[in-house]
Amino acid sequence: MPETEDSQPRRMNRDLDEQALFYHRYPKPGKLEIKPSKPVGNQRDLALAYSPGVAAPCKAIEADPSLAAEYTGRANLVGVVSNGTAVLGLGDIGPLASKPVMEGKAVLFKKFADIDVFDIEIDAREIDHVVEVVAALEPTFGGINLEDIKSPECFDIEERLRARMGIPVFHDDQHGTAIIVAAAVRNALLLAEKRIEDVRIVTSGLGAAAIACLNLLVSLGARVENITCTDIDGVVYAGREGRMDRWMSVYARETHMRTLSEAIEGADIFLGLSAGGVLKPELLEKMAPRPLIMALANPTPEVMPDLARAVRPDAMICTGRSDFPNQVNNVICFPFIFRGALDCGATSIDETMKIAAVDAIAALAREEVSEVAARAYGTETPVFGPEYLIPSPFDPRLILKIAPAVAKAAEAAGFATRPIEDMEAYNERLSRFVFRSGFVMKPIFQIARNSGKRVILADGEDERVLRAAQVMLEEKLCEPILVGRPSVIETRLKRFGLRIRPETDFEVVNPEDDPRYRDYVDHYFEKVGRLGVNPDTARLIVRTNTTVISAVSVSRGEADALICGLSGRFSRHIRDIQQVIGAASGVSKISAMSLLISGEGTLFLTDTYVQESPSAEDLAEIVRLASIEISRFGIVPKVALVSHSNFGTDTTPDAVKLREALTLVRRSAPEIEIDGEMHGDAALSEEMRRRVMPESTLSGTANLLVFPTIDSANITMNVVKVAMDALHVGPLLLGTNSPAHILTPSATSRGVVNMAAIAVAEAVQQTPR
């Protein structure tokens, strides 16, 4: 039987349900686990973690309760609490059935703001019971996130808990939605050239979220007399009988209007938090010019955006769905509000802190969109305007803007028990969470900043390079030179909403029309004329190969460093660099090193890309060059020559050459801390290493692993990268005559920035020749 229009959505829903059940069951049930943050690998660790050592922090906290923030995880622990009476889209399903939702909320806290969470599902329905249970949890948590508790009880519960508890209590269903709505309203009114004091607001639905939205908008300047609310029974008016409570009564005013059709006449803002399809397209014709339509019912909005736009092309439209622009998604704010509140030891989250979050979100939408946010949209990069009033939930700058703003507001309001004294250091800490390379890269950026070095980027038309160039200019890391067609670069800068401009902010090398073309051809042919390249081929290559063009620019002294590799094979790029730039004086062969950064630490590996089977002499040279590179990061190299052989247990050729390399390094660079050949686990564990070689000349954990072949190095690098969810920086070319690096095609714009900064640091510190 053929599939009907109705059966297709049902089949898609069944497929999604089956996938969701599998996702939640395998490889083990649920979405959360608890991992220790301290080692418990021996008897002493156990004595420190539990009895008798644990008595010391217990006594300290008894004497000074504030020390719980230093000796326990409380200051970074939030309780997500629900009784399951109003689960989004599912209703009153009870506490046990709500657990998957609460685990999901916990995952969002951890993913977006590195906040730990215990989800607490409570079998309590009455207000008094809920308050007593939650209030009793205060010693455990640094904050409480109330979730999916039905209205109007949720208002009383939150109000009483806030008055009773000395930690932030935040009902996200209310305030998370309100903060995002308020940010969208701020920006929409800016575009419409309207003042919040003057606009008329109409709601459909007057539950917890709608009331919280209106309360926050009133705090921002909206007038209660300009607000008309409707629900399933029609307009909420003064004296109306039936379903009313003290929270709704605030917005019940004297009016003759009784229907949404009457109320929406001349309205500037429609706020829908009700049910799908309640706002008929014809009603939109009655709204004021340039209206804001917030149809936030899920999964079906009060009016579908395409229908709304057909009737009102001047409208700005927000929904709760991710497949339309301007998604009102609570994850845009709640992790970061808690991040700021926890970090300053806030005792509450008040109106000023929420307004600070509103302002930060609204301002962020007016900035250039980051690469991550652009990828999240999956279309052309959005630019501030009717289609982009609020940022994407995946914009990494959210935590950098919201958390500090909330912490500052908490301090100003007198709620911060641990005010953030060094805001610059705090921002750096947040940046390290956002970009895991932040800590390791900090010394590199310090060297590169304000150096004035010129970095030529061979893939100048690529979006990642364009975004990276703007960051480089903003952070004053270098003077970028982009190889590409000016018209293409100009068009793409506008498409991606970037403000930098060619030949104004940065230099462009046009491969199709460069006045230095003949000089470049001559220079290139001089390098490769005896390597099988004839003059005609040289002319073609210099016209079409952007890596060669960039390498010639560096070789002629017109740029200080080269970055290439976003397209094409690595082997082609390394050939061009070897032929044109070549190895530095005193270096026999160019090699490559990769940097992996994970939650477990930093690890350098070599040679991961260039030398297939380096000799003992090659390995000794690689160790020396890699040690110099690692030192730029402010890290003292600890080198392990890794093998299947463990301190002489085998005599295969690879094991023997590693031993010979060790001898050569000790002779030529005795200052380097190195040992081998050894197993990989011995390299990373001093305890294991001491068992087989008590007199090892390597202490602690190795941070540079040197492999006998490219196969072993590259395989290890890729396995560790995936297994440990590590960030790959590199490969870093070692031993080039001038700084040059080849990116992998999967590199992000941040990866381009990192590699450019490394190249600049090399250029700054390069020994004059």
Side-chain angles (χ1 to χ4, degrees), residues 520-533 551-552 555-556 576-582 737:
Y520 272 39
V521 170
D522 292 342
H523 188 95
Y524 178 60
F525 185 70
E526 182 183 337
K527 297 282 187 179
V528 301
R530 294 183 179 275
L531 298 175
V533 178
V552 169
S555 182
R556 283 166 51 91
D576 295 335
I577 289 171
Q578 287 172 328
Q579 291 178 346
V580 179
I581 294 177
N737 194 42

Side-chain angles (χ1 to χ4, degrees), residues 14 35 100 192 289 306 334 375 423 462 475 486 495 514 584 595 627 633 635 653 669 753 755:
R14 282 197 305 271
K35 289 185 177 180
D306 53 341
F334 75 80
R375 288 206 311 267
M423 193 58 68
D462 191 288
E475 298 192 13
R495 182 193 306 166
D514 190 285
L595 165 59
S627 297
F633 291 84
I635 297 172
V753 173
M755 293 294 280

Side-chain angles (χ1 to χ4, degrees), residues 439-559:
F439 180 74
V440 176
M441 293 297 298
K442 183 178 178 181
I444 298 294
F445 279 85
Q446 287 178 332
I447 296 169
R449 194 163 283 120
N450 296 313
S451 67
K453 295 296 182 181
R454 302 156 298 171
V455 176
I456 189 164
L457 299 123
D459 302 286
E461 296 177 1
D462 191 288
E463 176 185 357
R464 292 165 289 180
V465 169
L466 296 174
R467 293 184 181 282
Q470 179 153 306
V471 174
M472 293 173 199
L473 288 164
E474 288 175 349
E475 298 192 13
K476 299 179 180 179
L477 297 177
C478 65
E479 296 177 8
I481 302 169
L482 274 57
V483 181
R485 294 161 293 178
S487 60
V488 174
I489 291 173
E490 183 75 44
T491 298
R492 291 181 179 177
L493 286 171
K494 291 178 181 177
R495 182 193 306 166
F496 303 139
L498 300 173
R499 65 174 179 272
I500 57 173
R501 291 294 172 260
E503 304 303 347
T504 299
D505 301 306
F506 60 91
E507 182 184 341
V508 175
V509 175
N510 182 2
E512 295 179 345
D513 183 19
D514 190 285
R516 300 164 296 184
Y517 171 69
R518 292 183 182 278
D519 294 334
Y520 272 39
V521 170
D522 292 342
H523 188 95
Y524 178 60
F525 185 70
E526 182 183 337
K527 297 282 187 179
V528 301
R530 294 183 179 275
L531 298 175
V533 178
N534 62 42
D536 288 339
T537 304
R539 282 190 284 271
L540 177 63
I541 289 173
V542 173
R543 183 72 77 189
T544 59
N545 187 322
T546 59
T547 298
V548 167
I549 294 170
S550 302
V552 169
S553 178
V554 171
S555 182
R556 283 166 51 91
E558 295 166 356

